[in-house]
Amino acid sequence: EDEINGENQLSSDKLLGGLLAPNFTKRDCLSRYQSISYRKSSPYVPSLYLVSKLREYEKLHNRCGPDTESYKNSIKDMVSGQNDSSSECRYVVWIARAGLGNRILSIASAFLYALLTNRVLLIDEEPEMANLFCEPFPNATWLLPKDFPFMYRISRFKQNYAKSYGNMLKKNKINASTDLLPTHLYLYLCNDYDHHDKLFFCDQDQTILRNIPWLIMKSNLYFLPSLFLMSSFEEELDKLFPDKEMVFHHLGRYLFHPSNQVWKLITSYYKKYLADAEERVGIQIRIFHKNSSPFQQVMDQILSCTDKEKLLPQVDMEKSIVAPFGKGKSKAVLITSLIPSYYEKMKNMYLKHPTLNGEVVAVYQASHEVTQHTMKNVHNQKAWAEINLLSMMDVLVTSAGSTFGYVAQGLGGKRPWILYKTETQKIPDPVCGRAMSMEPCFHCPQVYDCKAKREVDTATIIPYLRHCDDLYWGTKLF
Ligand code: GDP
């Protein structure tokens, strides 16, 4: 048993307040019950209603998941076009697009949608995602079987696909009075979706979708905040999440457990470099556009933020360290970035010069991938390992607009300091600020009031949904 804090946690702690089912084989997924020893135990308890809903979901997944008779029958009906409304098994198939952070957030959104609509979630796991996660549901798989009949269509499914719900609405091929509803339908919920695709967020459209057994959803968005705007889900969501800031914190820790392979990367790195420090600071540096974020400017922004917010001590550049480190409080800084230069600069700064307050600061970076390779499995394993390492830090500084950072803050239950977006040749003022909530930002919310049929600012409708503090056009629960 791997207990980094040396003490045995209570079992209810280990189950994250009932979030996790106890009936898994431990060695299949060491991280599931061990994460608690690395991440500070969360003070945020899931509602009993959420816990019972998850247990119910697990039973449904057991009855309807791949390898069951019900699944086979549902597939047969889908292929033959027979819409069996008596079957209790209905599905959401999630299809990947974009980087790992985006994928994780959109899977969490698809799962909440599945919970709300009593569907079973199946993931089309591309090879680049293999071996990243443990199976989240006991005695069942969430992976879409490779012999799923529409694999070829799935791989070609884009915004302009004629059989998507949005395009069928546009061409008047489906509406509330359609008699013969199809057995399956494609939903396009990606950042370049259009007005008709977004009608997914309307209650009246959900009444149509409710009767379609197979929904095949392509998404790279954390669209879950918009489900809170729909009156058909309102009551249920209130019971599931009395505290709206905790949605991803709970769902994320329920769904996403690093595989044993990735867990080994995480724990060995943590023990080697981070475990002994008295405080751990994670700094996530995501450069979206090199030209508008020159190195020195971003470096100045980071140091100005860590100084202003008293996260890290300043150094005396006039002096050099001659003797080995003093006895001050030790801090470990974990930098995650595709680029190595921030780490090199900061590491040397703290290695060569003494700090003004006597603290000893050591700087680390686990990988230097230089460019994004979303289609490569090993690259994604490293990214997933680093997201988890970040989630174990005591303090987090993240880059505005990065889903990579959102996942870390959500899993860790931390409100980070956000490094605001840099404009060309100008450091933002203020340089950073404390996030108003640990929830991820939904980057592409709809701007349509389904009942009034006109544009609306969806961040002004309910008290717990606002514009994001890192991207003003996005929306965020708090
Ligand atoms: P976003 O683009 O920042 O919202 O985050 P995503 O995770 O969706 O996509 C960025 C991808 O780039 C990640 O999934 C990684 O593949 C890679 N990447 C970005 N930053 C890092 C980093 O700090 N470490 C590693 N290992 N990979 C990174």
Side-chain angles (χ1 to χ4, degrees), residues 98-103 284-286 288 336-338 365 367 369 371-374 379-380 382-384 386-387 401-405 443:
L100 188 60
N102 283 285
R103 290 184 186 202
Q284 184 241 350
I285 308 166
R286 178 82 167 112
F288 288 102
T336 67
S337 179
L338 288 169
Q365 182 170 349
S367 78
E369 293 286 281
T371 42
Q372 181 173 342
H373 297 286
T374 290
H379 170 84
N380 287 332
K382 289 183 193 169
W384 180 219
E386 283 174 62
I387 289 175
S402 170
T403 59
F404 190 96
H443 290 173

Side-chain angles (χ1 to χ4, degrees), residues 221-423:
L221 296 174
Y222 187 63
F223 64 81
L224 143 184
S226 283
L227 301 177
F228 285 78
L229 290 167
M230 298 162 71
S231 50
S232 42
F233 300 142
E234 194 180 335
E235 205 185 317
E236 189 73 359
L237 283 170
D238 261 342
K239 287 198 274 179
L240 289 169
F241 300 104
D243 187 342
K244 307 292 183 284
E245 185 182 352
M246 300 303 150
V247 181
F248 183 73
H249 180 56
H250 293 320
L251 294 182
R253 289 177 314 148
Y254 173 72
L255 288 173
F256 304 107
H257 303 282
S259 65
N260 285 352
Q261 201 173 333
V262 178
W263 188 236
K264 201 161 173 213
L265 291 178
I266 297 166
T267 52
S268 57
Y269 193 87
Y270 187 93
K271 285 179 199 162
K272 192 162 177 196
Y273 300 110
L274 305 165
D276 294 334
E278 284 161 83
E279 189 178 61
R280 284 159 282 267
V281 179
I283 306 181
Q284 184 241 350
I285 308 166
R286 178 82 167 112
I287 306 295
F288 288 102
H289 305 288
K290 268 197 185 134
N291 292 344
S292 57
S293 309
F295 171 75
Q296 195 53 49
Q297 186 182 301
V298 177
M299 193 75 228
D300 291 345
Q301 183 187 6
I302 295 166
L303 293 178
S304 159
C305 174
T306 55
D307 177 44
K308 183 176 76 105
E309 303 296 342
K310 309 222 172 338
L311 308 177
L312 290 173
Q314 285 189 344
V315 296
D316 186 345
M317 293 301 274
E318 305 289 302
K319 289 194 188 140
S320 315
I321 290 181
V322 271
F325 296 126
K327 289 204 178 67
K329 180 176 179 182
S330 71
K331 283 191 175 177
V333 179
L334 175 73
I335 293 190
T336 67
S337 179
L338 288 169
I339 305 159
S341 30
Y342 297 96
Y343 152 75
E344 280 158 9
K345 181 109 186 191
M346 206 172 202
K347 180 192 71 174
N348 283 325
M349 188 179 94
Y350 283 112
L351 205 59
K352 292 188 176 147
H353 306 285
T355 58
L356 293 183
N357 65 2
E359 282 178 356
V360 178
V361 179
V363 183
Y364 305 100
Q365 182 170 349
S367 78
H368 316 84
E369 293 286 281
V370 184
T371 42
Q372 181 173 342
H373 297 286
T374 290
M375 303 319 268
K376 286 197 185 145
N377 185 247
V378 174
H379 170 84
N380 287 332
Q381 289 191 24
K382 289 183 193 169
W384 180 219
E386 283 174 62
I387 289 175
N388 278 278
L389 285 167
L390 276 179
S391 78
M392 295 167 178
M393 300 298 101
D394 303 303
V395 170
L396 264 186
V397 179
T398 57
S399 294
S402 170
T403 59
F404 190 96
Y406 296 162
V407 176
Q409 82 199 29
L411 294 177
K414 297 267 156 31
R415 279 194 298 129
W417 276 268
I418 302 171
L419 297 163
Y420 294 130
K421 278 224 176 304
T422 49
E423 285 163 34

Side-chain angles (χ1 to χ4, degrees), residues 118-155:
N118 298 317
R119 288 174 183 271
V120 168
L121 173 68
L122 298 177
I123 302 294
D124 174 32
E125 188 190 58
E126 304 278 350
E128 71 271 12
M129 272 175 84
N131 298 319
L132 291 188
F133 307 109
C134 300
E135 288 283 355
F137 314 124
N139 309 314
T141 180
W142 71 341
L143 300 180
L144 183 72
K146 293 290 167 219
D147 60 359
F148 186 72
F150 301 131
M151 277 306 186
Y152 177 71
R153 288 195 214 160
I154 281 181
S155 64

